[in-house]
Amino acid sequence: MTVVPPGGGEVVGDAPDRRVEILCEVDFVHATWTRMGPLRDGADLHVHREHTDVFYVLEGSLGLKLADGEAVVGPGTFVRVPPMVAHGFRNADSSELRYLNFHAPGTGFADYMRGLGRGERVPFDQEPPPSSGVRPSSEIMMVGGGVTVGGLSLADVNVYEDAFAVYVLEGADAGTWAQGASVSGSRFVVVTAP
């Protein structure tokens, strides 16, 4: 049983314009919570060969950098980036951006983020887009409601049963991440395990 209250994740980056907390680190998914200051850049174009990158926007405007331009999505949107699709991200607005980030499977993402926090390069499934073999940006899903990655399901719901983990969006425990524990709320991001 794990309960991570708001601001209680493992902090791997903390500055006035950016804070990153690790919420979950299991083989099939690593999850982080991130706050980025106005118009702050995030990551340049890159690909992941062996895992899917999923963002869920909590607040603000996520600018998704694409090989052929940029898309901007707002609160309540899931962005599912399959392996070998070039992408990057930034805060596309003059207000704060907050989002959840899921890497499925985890493939060492949490250790990679710890390394960035220490100023060290840690091997991870991320590299600049190769000159060939990249999949098109059209394979990225930007949707409300939820997404799946293999047997893993991520959904924005009002009630849930039998979830691996939940992040409380609204209600008494808003901002809380829970695995195997009961939390109180009226809206959640639910992670259902494979």
Side-chain angles (χ1 to χ4, degrees), residues 129-154:
S131 58
S132 64
V134 176
R135 295 163 65 182
S137 298
S138 61
E139 292 190 24
I140 295 174
M141 289 180 64
M142 292 176 259
V143 299
V147 295
T148 58
V149 179
L152 182 73
S153 173
L154 303 162

Side-chain angles (χ1 to χ4, degrees), residues 14-19 34-38 40-41 91 96-97:
D14 195 9
D17 66 342
R18 179 176 168 267
R19 181 177 175 96
T34 300
R35 173 191 47 79
M36 292 175 65
R40 188 182 194 287
D41 200 22
N91 182 347
E96 205 166 72
L97 168 66

